Amino acid sequence: MAELNPGPTPEPTRTVRVVLADDDTLVRTGLRLILGGDRSIEIVGEAGDGLEATEMVLRLRPDVVLMDIRMPRRDGLAALEAIRAATSDVKVVVLTTFDTDDLVLTALRRGAAGFLLKDTAPADLVAAVHLAAEGRSTLSPSVTDQLVAAVARQPDDTRRQDARRRLAGLTAREHDVALAVGRGLSNAEIAAELFMGVATVKTHIGRLFDKLGTENRVQIAICVHDAEVAG
């Protein structure tokens, strides 16, 4: 099972509006049944391909989209790019079997709020939707090693130099926090390892978003791995 480790799940304060985008009817049905058990989540639409998903999201403006990568007419990556170009308010979470690392990395670099494996436990799936709605990513430590390996298979001096330049602008403490995020640690784990309060960790991560030009923890982790300084 996929293991999410983003820290405590925020208490729902409003109804989270969700669009499901997957060409597999059975997958959509399963997701609807799982998420429908939470009264604070409302499924406002279901799309069977990427083009339909893009049009539906731009029309309905949900809080969160669960987006498969491999879909007909327009794949999930193109749909993600179109949605992100039109709005930054909708959080897109990639839902995948993770059988193609390169596609997942591309999705995260293009602004996906995170990713989930399709065998994610129901409780973790519900928690991930709430986390995404609150602007928190769903980076799974259980696949961090696969992400690192995928990055290692894609040598790119320009990307490496850019990542190192961005990290060079951090303070020593911010750099330590960035490395910890790159290892998939939660806020609580970072606080314990670096001997600081959880609130202080959150403050540092907020600064990392600004300084690194990232939108979520996943993109921080990718920047760290691109620079090859993790660990």
Side-chain angles (χ1 to χ4, degrees), residues 43-195:
I43 307 300
V44 297
E46 298 182 27
D49 62 66
L51 183 59
E52 182 184 11
T54 303
E55 295 171 346
M56 184 177 294
V57 169
L58 297 183
R59 183 177 75 252
L60 299 177
R61 299 294 172 127
D63 300 299
V64 177
V65 183
L66 292 182
M67 179 84 73
D68 189 19
I69 289 181
R70 294 186 179 279
M71 291 188 290
R73 291 213 294 169
R74 175 180 290 173
D75 66 29
L77 294 179
L80 165 63
E81 191 168 27
I83 292 168
R84 296 299 295 167
T87 176
S88 60
D89 294 332
V90 179
K91 307 302 180 184
V92 179
V93 177
V94 171
L95 186 66
T96 178
T97 57
F98 206 75
D99 59 344
T100 310
D101 300 341
D102 294 348
L103 292 179
V104 176
L105 280 167
T106 300
L108 298 178
R109 289 195 175 103
R110 291 186 184 182
F115 65 85
L116 297 173
L117 302 184
K118 286 189 176 179
D119 65 352
T120 295
D124 284 343
L125 178 63
V126 171
V129 168
H130 284 296
L131 287 166
E134 294 293 328
R136 297 168 62 184
S137 62
T138 55
L139 175 63
S140 173
S142 65
V143 293
T144 296
D145 289 344
Q146 290 170 287
L147 280 172
V148 175
V151 171
R153 290 196 300 272
Q154 298 178 326
D156 185 326
D157 288 339
T158 300
R159 192 179 70 241
R160 183 181 300 114
Q161 291 170 8
D162 177 66
R164 290 179 176 177
R165 175 187 56 76
R166 292 155 67 195
L167 290 175
L170 305 179
T171 67
R173 207 57 167 161
E174 290 166 351
H175 192 269
D176 290 340
V177 172
L179 293 184
V181 172
R183 289 161 49 209
L185 300 187
S186 68
N187 287 351
E189 290 169 333
I190 295 172
E193 182 170 295
L194 300 180
F195 303 102

